[in-house]
Amino acid sequence: MIAAAVPSAYLLTRSDSGWPVHVHGDGDVLDPGGSHLGVFAWVWVLWLPVFAGGIGYAIHQWLPSQRSNPRHGWTGPVAASGVVLGALWLWAAQSGSAAAAFWLAAALVGIGLTAIHLGTTSPAGSRSEQAVTDIPSGILLGVGSLALLVCLGSWLVETDADVGGWGAEAWTLIALVSLVVGVTTVCMTGRGQLPVALSVVFGLAGLGFARLLANQPAVWMAAAAFIAGFLVIVSAGSRRHQVDHARRRAQRAWLKAEASAHADAVEPEAVHI
């Protein structure tokens, strides 16, 4: 599935010159100026580590040392589902279907949350395994959340939605606050989920600069995006510092207990000598 999805994603998004690009013209799903939630096209470079991680995992799982690894019972389906759904989302965004892209992004968020939960309860056994499973799944959740945000804005603009009669500014802020609350909640699990936080901050930076450099700048939205990115990275960094500090304290307590037990076991004469 991964071997088929990765080249399919390229074929579905490549331009006439052969480079993989995303549609971001006026009125398209990924148009940076299509809504207050639009981001610059360079944000979607985040898909590269997701697809690269899928290929790396496909190779990693065939290693002789990994044949008895019980984690492959869930990491394999998660990696394949994330890559396939990512290719389908690229196709939906390229074809201009905001509704399909929105629901595919929602499915990507679900896959990402599942991967984060399972990765927290069943940690990777090595750094190489973490590099091809946990890091790509974290970026998948981040880019899926950004895709959900952008596609929601495009869909609401396309349908001329006016949630509660409050105007576009209101539902824009509601969507942004919901993203920040959800991501910070995830970042308070495990060791901070830095791949999720960094990918979301990268996307929020693209959103903020898109609002500042638009034909009609929305400074309030740019400020909200930058503040949201700051809150996300602070929550992830705070959680990682807290977990690492607790680990160091536990390690010092263990070393102290070992030294005390060793001292109690030494004969008095040996101590005197």
Side-chain angles (χ1 to χ4, degrees), residues 36-64:
H36 288 311
L37 296 174
V39 301
F40 279 133
W42 46 260
V43 167
W44 306 115
V45 74
L46 289 169
W47 281 112
L48 293 179
V50 174
F51 288 115
I55 295 173
Y57 174 77
I59 298 172
H60 177 77
Q61 68 173 346
W62 285 103
L63 296 176

Side-chain angles (χ1 to χ4, degrees), residues 50 75 81 88 103 120 133 140 185 190 210 237-238 252 271:
V50 174
T75 53
S81 300
L88 290 175
W103 291 114
T120 302
T133 56
L140 174 67
T185 301
S238 175
R252 285 196 298 267
V271 173

Side-chain angles (χ1 to χ4, degrees), residues 11-190:
L11 293 174
L12 289 170
T13 58
R14 70 187 181 95
S15 63
D16 294 336
S17 60
W19 291 96
V21 295
H22 296 273
V23 173
H24 53 275
D26 293 340
D28 292 320
V29 175
L30 303 181
D31 178 13
S35 74
H36 288 311
L37 296 174
V39 301
F40 279 133
W42 46 260
V43 167
W44 306 115
V45 74
L46 289 169
W47 281 112
L48 293 179
V50 174
F51 288 115
I55 295 173
Y57 174 77
I59 298 172
H60 177 77
Q61 68 173 346
W62 285 103
L63 296 176
S65 61
Q66 296 298 314
R67 292 176 181 175
S68 59
N69 190 339
R71 290 187 95 229
H72 294 313
W74 63 266
T75 53
V78 165
S81 300
V83 171
V84 170
L85 286 174
L88 290 175
W89 181 83
L90 291 171
W91 168 77
Q94 186 81 353
S95 62
S97 177
F102 172 81
W103 291 114
L104 286 168
L108 284 167
V109 171
I111 292 294
L113 289 173
T114 301
I116 293 297
H117 172 69
L118 294 175
T120 302
T121 56
S122 176
S126 64
R127 291 187 176 181
S128 59
E129 184 179 1
Q130 184 183 23
V132 297
T133 56
D134 296 353
I135 294 177
S137 63
I139 299 175
L140 174 67
L141 178 57
V143 71
S145 301
L146 294 169
L148 187 66
L149 191 70
V150 172
C151 294
L152 175 63
S154 180
W155 192 13
L156 291 176
V157 169
E158 183 182 288
T159 57
D160 293 326
D162 189 2
V163 182
W166 298 334
E169 291 79 5
W171 58 252
T172 296
L173 287 176
I174 292 173
L176 186 61
V177 170
S178 299
L179 173 71
V180 172
V181 171
V183 172
T184 52
T185 301
V186 171
C187 289
M188 295 306 293
T189 64

